[in-house]
Amino acid sequence: MNIEIIDIPKVKNNKGNIAVIENDVVPFEIKRVYYLYDVPSTARRGGHAHKNLRQLLIALSGSFDVVLKDGNNKQTITLNKPDKGLLINKGIWRELENFSSGAVCMVIASEVYNEEDYIRSYSEFTEYIKINK
């Protein structure tokens, strides 16, 4: 599957750690940053894929699961450390679920918002994958 866990460099300090995200950490030019918070534990977020956009997801606080599908395989990754990011490349279906209380998911994106880049139906996603493999 076209994903990768990225280590976020951190500066350890007995007063608290600092995680540093600079251009050499993220494997694309950062064009958008947003975050999800106050997500109920029973809610699901995502439920889409992107044609071109790449994302780096980081659990800044708490934890959540990221369910990934590439048309053939399914993988679930739990994010729960602010010094680990999940790189999701284009053409991967993603759903976020099982948010803990107080969870914050930061998303670093390679592109600005563009509705035409989204695939919001799983059946359309599987057709898109067949055509674009």
Side-chain angles (χ1 to χ4, degrees):
M1 194 165 308
N2 199 6
I3 61 167
E4 179 183 348
I5 298 294
I6 304 269
D7 289 319
I8 309 297
K10 66 181 170 182
V11 178
K12 292 184 178 186
N13 186 304
N14 60 1
K15 297 177 187 177
N17 298 328
I18 299 172
V20 180
I21 299 172
E22 296 179 327
N23 291 333
D24 61 339
V25 173
V26 182
F28 53 78
E29 181 182 349
I30 299 169
K31 299 225 180 135
R32 184 173 184 229
V33 177
Y34 62 94
Y35 50 94
L36 309 171
Y37 64 100
D38 290 344
V39 180
S41 61
T42 57
R44 298 180 100 174
R45 298 297 311 245
H48 63 267
H50 290 280
K51 298 172 188 171
N52 296 301
L53 181 115
R54 301 168 73 195
Q55 294 178 317
L56 183 66
L57 279 60
I58 302 168
L60 295 181
S61 179
S63 66
F64 52 90
D65 293 334
V66 184
V67 180
L68 304 154
K69 300 175 185 175
D70 66 3
N72 295 313
N73 303 298
K74 177 180 176 182
Q75 184 174 356
T76 300
I77 295 180
T78 300
L79 292 178
N80 58 8
K81 296 179 180 167
D83 64 341
K84 302 287 182 195
L86 173 62
L87 175 65
I88 305 174
N89 287 298
K90 64 183 182 176
I92 301 290
W93 186 266
R94 81 283 319 271
E95 298 171 1
L96 285 67
E97 60 186 23
N98 297 325
F99 284 82
S100 70
S101 178
V104 178
C105 171
M106 181 170 69
V107 181
I108 299 172
S110 66
E111 304 296 330
V112 297
Y113 176 81
N114 176 3
E115 182 60 34
E116 293 179 13
D117 187 61
Y118 282 76
I119 305 170
R120 296 195 182 269
S121 156
Y122 191 74
S123 60
E124 288 178 27
F125 169 71
T126 56
E127 287 301 313
Y128 178 83
I129 292 299
K130 287 178 191 175
I131 294 169
N132 292 286
K133 282 275 177 171

